[in-house]
Amino acid sequence: MAIEGFVAIYIFMLAGFAGFEVISRVPVILHTPLMSGSNFVHGIVVVGAMVVLGHAESTAEQIVGFIAVILAAGNAVGGYVVTERMLEMFKSKDEQKKGAQE
Amino acid sequence: MNFIVQLSYLIAAVLFILGLKAMSSPKTARRGIVWAGVGMVLATLVTFLHPAVQGLTNTILIVIGIAVAGGLAWWSGRRVAMTEMPQMVALYNGMGGGAAAAIAGVEMLRALRMLPEGLQSQAQALASDAGISMAAAEAALRAEGAGSANIASALGADVAILAILGALIGTVAFSGSLIAWAKLDGRMKRNSLVPGQKYVNLLVFVLAIIFGIMTFFTDSILVVTLFFALGLLFGVFVAVPIGGADMPVIISLFNALTGLAVGFEGYAIGNPAMIIAGTVVGAAGTLLTQLMAKAMNRSITNVLFAGFAADTQSAGEALEGEMKDVSAEDAGIMMAYAERVIIVPGYGMAVAQAQHKMWELVELLQDRGVEVKFAIHPVAGRMPGHMNVLLAEAGVPYDMIYDMEDINEEFAMTDVAVVIGANDVVNPAARDDAASPIYGMPILNVDEAENVLVIKRGRGAGFSGVENALFVGDNTRMVFGDGQKVASGMVQAVKGL
């Protein structure tokens, strides 16, 4: 799917506003988890890495594409695990007790 | 099939934005990461159906890459201690930037491979049409300029520009994040690599830009390789001089940059999910970086180019007055008979793993009717909010934890302020001494409390290397020792009453 010219600029602009809006009213308590969460979200780069490795034809392209997949998968999975662990701490007291009983 | 792929990307993009939105409130935060995770799994799975993904070898390589790197990342992310989270974020972020740059690398390699083929087929057509030899046809085409085809003409000018920009940003984020990781992990302590670092940085930056422009017009693999190498070098040079409390800002900046690089490469390969997710992170990360820099009263350019460490060497005057110390037991008793206590935790508490003992102490104090609050400086720990995470881990409910602006006026009405493992963020020099390198950074006004207890390992200066006037204040008592042992001593003393 080709996204060209002004359509792309509109997408960049609107996505940028969405990003600002999402963060604008966030308590300090969540800054680190949110930074970590946004770090996970740009792990979507794994999709692009899969596509370029998928259509690689020469050995050089395959090597660089494979490096891209490795790095991107590390970003996505590591980002998720770390964020999830941080946010686990934000269970309310009731949930923590429930967890302890189980 | 392509319809399913594109629809799934759309759903994933929506899930990412909703997930991030949910992550900005403590109540819904845990739901948010799960939504974003579902989006990621969906997007990854449908990409196997993407028309561009061809060939068994490539598919197998993709599966192996995801399985091995994903497995290692899962294992390392699970294993790492809570105090080491910031450097893990830096590490994973760097990998994302590197991936974006590698995507650009593959696209450029493809473009370079196309060039001679393009010329050959054109020459073949010309040769058969005009009835001349191949060599003559090629020479004719070259003379017309067709043979000077370059990356820009192979990819299209718009794609080439964004791919090159994304590659530059991605390489800088990659090597810079790795340096940030090494510094936070204590593997690297130096603050400069070459004399006149600032000017060298500028030179490398200009060279990287020049080679970026050359890459646009080139058909040579050498130019492309040098361009990537200069990007990596610049990332290293930018990150090395940064230290002290500026570290979180730079990690957040690299995070935003990686987002931007991902967005640009998304355009280069026509992937809307990458464009949207990358740009959202780029914008959100930029705002977050500004919030952090503002919390320290520094601008981003200041953080990047001033070199915090260089400033501190010239400053740090000797302090007048002496530190007065007190035993942990006496300090505990002092707290037990207070009415209002505010605890100011810093990274040192986390390193000593004292947060659990501190919470035990606080629960005991609360049973005695003491009003206890936690005060968190925006950059306490190694990242904004890092301390909140550590306290939450110990079981401290988040409604007991106050931000600097909300609690700063209460110190004057507080009987005992307890500083554990924090230093620069409570240094009154930042408020009073214009010559101090941290002058202007907002601080917690701990020195206004009636009594101040400082739990500290030794007598040295803090993370930034600046002497702290609070420690020699008349109302300050130092409790020297390991945070956890001191907290245990306090718990024993309060229990014994």
Side-chain angles (χ1 to χ4, degrees):
Chain A
M1 189 171 83
I3 308 151
E4 273 163 5
F6 274 102
V7 179
I9 297 175
Y10 280 125
I11 295 180
F12 277 120
M13 181 191 75
L14 291 172
F17 279 125
F20 272 104
E21 190 49 41
V22 155
I23 288 261
S24 56
R25 268 181 298 278
V26 57
V28 176
I29 185 169
L30 281 169
H31 275 180
T32 293
L34 199 58
M35 165 145 79
S36 179
S38 59
N39 176 39
F40 164 67
V41 167
H42 67 54
I44 189 67
V45 70
V46 73
V47 167
M50 290 169 74
V51 169
V52 292
L53 177 54
H55 69 198
E57 281 171 43
S58 72
T59 313
E61 286 165 37
Q62 279 179 327
I63 292 172
V64 180
F66 188 63
I67 293 173
V69 170
I70 293 260
L71 292 174
N75 180 188
V77 175
Y80 183 85
V81 172
V82 167
T83 311
E84 205 260 332
R85 275 186 64 191
M86 283 188 201
L87 291 176
E88 215 168 281
M89 311 303 168
F90 289 94
K91 282 180 185 170
S92 64
K93 279 215 142 176
D94 302 339
E95 280 179 289
Q96 273 175 354
K97 274 178 198 147
K98 227 186 283 166
Q101 280 164 6
E102 276 162 16
Chain B
M1 209 55 101
N2 201 25
F3 176 76
I4 298 176
V5 174
Q6 297 302 336
L7 182 68
S8 305
Y9 285 166
L10 178 67
I11 296 171
V14 170
L15 282 171
F16 288 151
I17 295 175
L18 288 179
L20 277 177
K21 183 77 204 160
M23 270 188 254
S24 19
S25 156
K27 288 204 181 84
T28 54
R30 294 176 61 224
R31 222 179 298 157
I33 184 66
V34 174
W35 288 348
V38 170
M40 190 69 74
V41 171
L42 178 69
T44 310
L45 288 180
V46 299
T47 302
F48 282 105
L49 305 176
H50 196 287
V53 178
Q54 291 159 353
L56 190 62
T57 323
N58 286 346
T59 311
I60 291 173
L61 281 176
I62 292 173
V63 174
I64 292 176
I66 293 179
V68 171
L72 280 175
W74 183 276
W75 175 76
S76 63
R78 280 267 148 227
R79 210 180 51 107
V80 67
M82 268 295 163
T83 42
E84 285 158 17
M85 285 293 172
Q87 52 262 48
M88 292 317 277
V89 174
L91 184 63
Y92 298 139
N93 174 55
M95 295 175 84
I103 289 174
V106 176
E107 287 305 290
M108 288 173 195
L109 282 172
R110 266 173 70 83
L112 291 175
R113 180 165 53 77
M114 300 287 194
L115 299 181
E117 286 171 10
L119 181 68
Q120 215 111 57
S121 58
Q122 281 181 59
Q124 216 144 31
L126 186 68
S128 60
D129 284 355
I132 51 175
S133 75
M134 269 295 283
E138 260 192 55
L141 277 168
R142 276 189 201 281
E144 284 170 17
S148 70
N150 49 35
I151 284 188
S153 62
L155 293 177
D158 54 341
V159 169
I161 291 173
L162 287 186
I164 291 169
L165 272 178
L168 180 60
I169 300 170
T171 46
V172 171
F174 173 69
S175 57
S177 295
L178 290 189
I179 295 292
W181 166 78
K183 290 191 105 175
L184 282 173
D185 215 39
R187 286 163 201 267
M188 181 176 179
K189 295 236 160 64
R190 349 180 23 162
N191 286 327
S192 72
L193 290 175
V194 287
Q197 185 84 52
K198 262 189 230 178
Y199 305 101
V200 177
N201 285 8
L202 189 67
L203 180 74
V204 174
F205 180 67
V206 171
L207 276 177
I209 297 284
I210 290 173
F211 269 82
I213 296 169
M214 280 167 70
T215 298
F216 183 81
F217 294 108
T218 196
D219 58 354
S220 145
I221 183 83
L222 183 68
V223 172
V224 177
T225 311
L226 280 174
F227 166 60
F228 275 81
L230 282 166
L232 291 173
L233 194 65
F234 182 63
V236 172
F237 281 3
V238 150
V240 162
I242 291 161
D246 291 344
M247 224 57 210
V249 182
I250 202 74
I251 294 178
S252 177
L253 181 66
F254 285 140
N255 186 43
L257 286 179
T258 302
L260 208 57
V262 170
F264 286 172
E265 296 309 331
Y267 181 83
I269 63 170
N271 190 308
M274 275 170 73
I275 297 181
I276 294 172
T279 313
V280 165
V281 172
T286 306
L287 187 61
L288 199 55
T289 311
Q290 276 172 343
L291 289 176
M292 289 184 195
K294 218 170 95 186
M296 299 192 304
N297 206 15
R298 285 162 74 74
S299 70
I300 293 170
T301 41
N302 201 323
V303 169
L304 277 176
F305 299 112
F308 187 86
D311 294 348
T312 52
Q313 280 158 6
S314 60
E317 332 165 3
L319 290 167
E320 291 169 23
E322 249 177 71
M323 297 186 191
K324 298 168 281 290
D325 58 338
V326 64
S327 74
E329 287 70 23
D330 290 345
I333 288 165
M334 195 167 151
M335 291 164 79
Y337 287 105
E339 273 178 40
R340 279 189 213 86
V341 171
I342 297 179
I343 297 174
V344 180
Y347 189 69
M349 179 191 77
V351 172
Q353 289 289 316
Q355 61 267 40
H356 299 276
K357 275 286 167 203
M358 281 312 281
W359 175 230
E360 191 184 337
L361 174 69
V362 169
E363 282 184 306
L364 284 171
L365 291 173
Q366 280 180 326
D367 289 344
R368 295 180 56 92
V370 183
E371 190 193 316
V372 188
K373 289 174 180 173
F374 285 88
I376 309 260
H377 189 274
V379 293
R382 290 291 186 268
M383 274 198 208
H386 186 205
M387 209 42 61
N388 306 75
V389 172
L390 292 168
L391 287 176
E393 185 197 14
V396 180
Y398 55 79
D399 51 12
M400 275 181 72
I401 302 172
Y402 293 82
D403 291 348
M404 182 173 69
E405 304 92 69
D406 299 331
I407 203 165
N408 235 352
E409 288 174 2
E410 290 187 33
F411 281 106
M413 298 169 283
T414 298
D415 303 307
V416 183
V418 186
V419 178
I420 172 162
N423 191 338
D424 298 325
V425 297
V426 295
N427 191 346
R431 195 184 52 215
D432 308 327
D433 177 10
S436 171
I438 58 170
Y439 180 70
M441 179 174 97
I443 56 154
L444 288 159
N445 295 324
V446 171
D447 56 327
E448 289 175 2
E450 197 165 326
N451 294 287
V452 182
L453 291 170
V454 178
I455 303 171
K456 201 169 177 301
R457 226 138 90 111
R459 287 165 192 268
F463 192 52
S464 69
V466 182
E467 293 288 341
N468 195 333
L470 176 73
F471 299 166
V472 296
D474 289 335
N475 53 346
T476 303
R477 295 289 176 276
M478 305 295 291
V479 191
F480 288 113
D482 171 73
Q484 199 176 144
K485 289 211 182 88
V486 170
S488 309
M490 289 174 165
V491 167
Q492 291 309 321
V494 176
K495 270 188 183 160
L497 286 172

